Amino acid sequence: MNIAVFSTKGYDRRFLETANQSHGHAIDYFEPRLTAQTMPLAEGYDVVCAFVNDHLNADVLHHLAENGTKMIALRSAGFNNVDLAVADELGLTVARVPAYSPYAVAEHTIGLIMTLNRRINRAYNRVREGNFALDGLMGFVLRGKTAGLVGTGQIGAATAEILLGMGCEVIATDPYPNDELISKGLRYVELDELFAESDIISLHCPLTQESRYMINERAINEMKPGVMLINTSRGALLDTAAVIEGLKNEKIGFLGLDVYEEEENLFFQDLSDQVIRDDVFARLLTFPNVVITGHQAFFTEEALTTIANTTLENISAYEQGGPVPNTVTSERVVSG
Ligand code: NAI
């Protein structure tokens, strides 16, 4: 099949080229994100291969379908950036990579928790400047603290196992409870109970109409004073303005983010010699108790290998006319 890969970085190309040795597809790589402006680049390609910040809205999908595209191969687990109802209507097959390394994201989540708690970001800078004072670096022992996980799918479950191993009390909400986690000591509770009981809250659910802005002013008011909030899932799970208020009035004691609602204009590029025009993001950077990484939680050798292999396997299955694994439609999500 001929494939147009959007939002290509050097590492995407390297891993896809390696994986393609056993598939033999004709792949062209485009650096820009897929948007209404760049969609003409996809004309004539059977498959459009997209990542998290590519636009697959109604306009773009119509243009793709009218110009020969039959399949959207997502290099991500999340598919909130695709208008699935329109994709279904146009007969476009949409496939994703359901689990490329839940451990990569879970371990990064723990990295954010540890960095915030023991102020490793601040300590790193101080020591480099010959400042060995400890004031302002005090942390707390994680053992015995309550961690609340919103979502115990692949990533939430992997995070739960690490936190249980560290001696935390782990509570969670998920419409589909995981019995194995219950047997290991995790307790499912209602969302308001999770907000009220948790010392650390970490989000691992997908972004949907229902979950958008689940962390809003009302939710923050229900939380413990000084709560640690971690989001490695999708930016719009948080109402960022409400979170900034929570940081200013010190209700939120720590904030760790790997995702941001307006990340598409910032993340995955070097903007170090430019002015950041997003005042909300710039405000977040001013807090000493906020650590932000640029959507790197997945970014491991293992995850990139799986992303490349699964993406090309999905495409090859489509080419062979068999059932395409990992498809998503507006009605159902097929895993595996
Ligand atoms: P998954 O599909 O295995 O698990 C999601 C879980 O959330 C499911 O068990 C589902 O029942 C539950 N859920 C759905 N709505 C919920 C709600 N309103 N409240 C509580 N639970 C709810 O997905 P996985 O692989 O664990 O990924 C989770 C999210 O992590 C993805 O949707 C994606 O947005 C994000 N992600 C972030 C990455 C990064 O690099 N930062 C990389 C990969 C995924």
Side-chain angles (χ1 to χ4, degrees), residues 77-78 96 98 100 105 150-156 173-176 204-207 210-211 214 232-234 258-259 295-298:
R96 64 173 185 144
Y100 35 85
V105 183
V150 181
T152 53
Q154 305 261 0
I155 296 170
T173 57
D174 195 305
Y176 301 98
H204 301 289
C205 64
L207 175 63
E210 191 208 11
S211 64
M214 71 163 28
T232 57
S233 218
R234 282 294 179 267
D258 187 52
V259 285
H295 210 137
Q296 72 169 87
F298 72 100

Side-chain angles (χ1 to χ4, degrees), residues 147-175:
L149 305 179
V150 181
T152 53
Q154 305 261 0
I155 296 170
T159 307
E161 293 199 350
I162 302 173
L163 290 168
L164 287 165
M166 291 173 112
C168 290
E169 191 185 328
V170 184
I171 58 177
T173 57
D174 195 305

Side-chain angles (χ1 to χ4, degrees), residues 71-108:
M71 180 185 192
I72 309 294
L74 299 172
R75 310 199 291 288
S76 58
F79 46 87
N80 52 286
N81 53 334
V82 187
D83 188 329
L84 289 174
V86 172
D88 289 353
E89 207 178 282
L90 295 168
L92 287 165
T93 298
V94 180
R96 64 173 185 144
V97 183
Y100 35 85
S101 178
Y103 309 106
V105 183
E107 289 170 16
H108 192 79

Side-chain angles (χ1 to χ4, degrees), residues 213-246:
Y213 282 6
M214 71 163 28
I215 305 299
N216 52 24
E217 189 186 344
R218 196 172 49 79
I220 294 167
N221 283 338
E222 288 178 31
M223 294 176 193
K224 278 189 179 177
V227 65
M228 181 187 288
L229 196 57
I230 306 286
N231 186 10
T232 57
S233 218
R234 282 294 179 267
L237 293 173
L238 302 185
D239 174 349
T240 313
V243 168
I244 287 175
E245 274 315 304

